[in-house]
Each structure stands twice: as structure tokens, then as C-alpha cells.
Amino acid sequence: WNYSVSTDVLGYLVEVISGQPFEKYLKEKVIDPLGMVDTDFHVPADKHDRFAANYAAGAGGKLDLIDDPAKSRYLAPRKVNSGGGGLVSTASDYLRFCKFMLNEGELDGVRLLGRKTVELMTMNHLNGDMADMGTPRFSESTYTGIGFGLGFSVMLDPAKAYIAGTPGEY
């Protein structure tokens, strides 16, 4: 198992089928209906002052600046917006999205996905866990005890994954 460009391809298919740029479709059909007011593929000029720096753990426990908010690529619109990544958001908007998923595709009376669709998205679609799929190249988590659904990693066995969690969480 390895990450691929499949979600990027899906973003392109959304453009082809809808006849709209992916970012416009996503904003009209998902971001706006869910009330995610600070989510986009770039940070508008009137929100630049709210854009935080991004750091990574560096040598010796130091923090290394990896995205300076004054020079970030997210300050201006991009030519190509990916289905697989590139949204910039706030914790409160992400919480709204998480609540939407936990409510099985509905938030504040707005239903965008059916319950069975969410179940299908968040169940393991691999034959075993990610470790069973071969030598890993990249992941945020261990491959053992973790499966993958349609856009989500899925906890199969917390003991094997060495992660405190619950089978089925995503």
C-alpha cells in the first residue's frame, strides 16, 4: 500500500463531470453548505493577518519554520487545485467537517452524504492491513493494524498498531 494520485484524479473527474473548476465545485457543494467560512485553496488578502506559521520538529528538539505566513504559497490562488491536498483551513472549520462525518454525512440539517456512503468511505477496503500490502514508502502512522477506506485510514487493531484507539475509528 502506498499513497497515490487517485484522489487528485477524482478532483479532475469532478471538474470534467460538473463542468466547473474543482475549487468552485467544492466551495459550492461542500465548503459553503457546511458553513466552513475559513476554508479554501488559498488565504484571501483580508485574512492574511490570521494565517499562522507552520513548524516541524528539527534537530535537538528545535522548531524549524517550514511555511512562513508572510511568504507562503497559500497567500495567492494556485493554477491547479488538487483533489488530494492543498486546502488551508482553521481548527473550527475542520471541527465542522469532523462533526459532519461523525453525524454520518449531515451537519446542522444539511445532508451531503448518505449514512451508507459514509459507512462505505470509512470501512477498510484492503485485504488485511496496510502492512499486508507490501513495503511501505510513506504514511503518518504504522502500517500494521491500520486499514484504508475511501480517503480515510481505518483502525483495525490498536494493539498491533501501537496506537491507543478503537477498531473502526478513522
Side-chain angles (χ1 to χ4, degrees), residues 7 9 19 25 33 40 68 72 104 118 134 138 141 158 167:
T7 309
V9 171
Y25 181 91
D40 205 330
D68 182 338
S72 177
E104 300 175 317
V118 173
F138 167 79
S141 66

Side-chain angles (χ1 to χ4, degrees), residues 19-105:
Q20 294 181 293
F22 179 61
E23 64 274 13
K24 183 176 180 186
Y25 181 91
L26 196 64
K27 186 160 178 51
E28 287 179 7
K29 302 295 185 183
V30 179
I31 294 169
D32 287 349
L34 293 181
M36 297 169 62
V37 297
D38 288 318
T39 302
D40 205 330
F41 283 97
H42 76 284
V43 179
D46 64 332
K47 296 181 181 182
H48 284 187
D49 62 327
R50 295 176 47 216
F51 191 40
N54 190 6
Y55 295 90
K62 295 178 100 180
L63 292 177
D64 292 336
L65 180 64
I66 59 172
D67 190 19
D68 182 338
K71 303 174 188 172
S72 177
R73 67 183 180 145
Y74 293 104
L75 296 178
R78 300 178 64 152
K79 291 181 182 175
V80 177
N81 293 303
S82 165
L87 285 174
V88 66
S89 192
T90 59
S92 58
D93 272 10
Y94 186 60
L95 177 61
R96 291 191 63 75
F97 181 77
C98 291
K99 286 180 176 180
F100 161 74
M101 291 302 297
L102 289 172
N103 289 329
E104 300 175 317

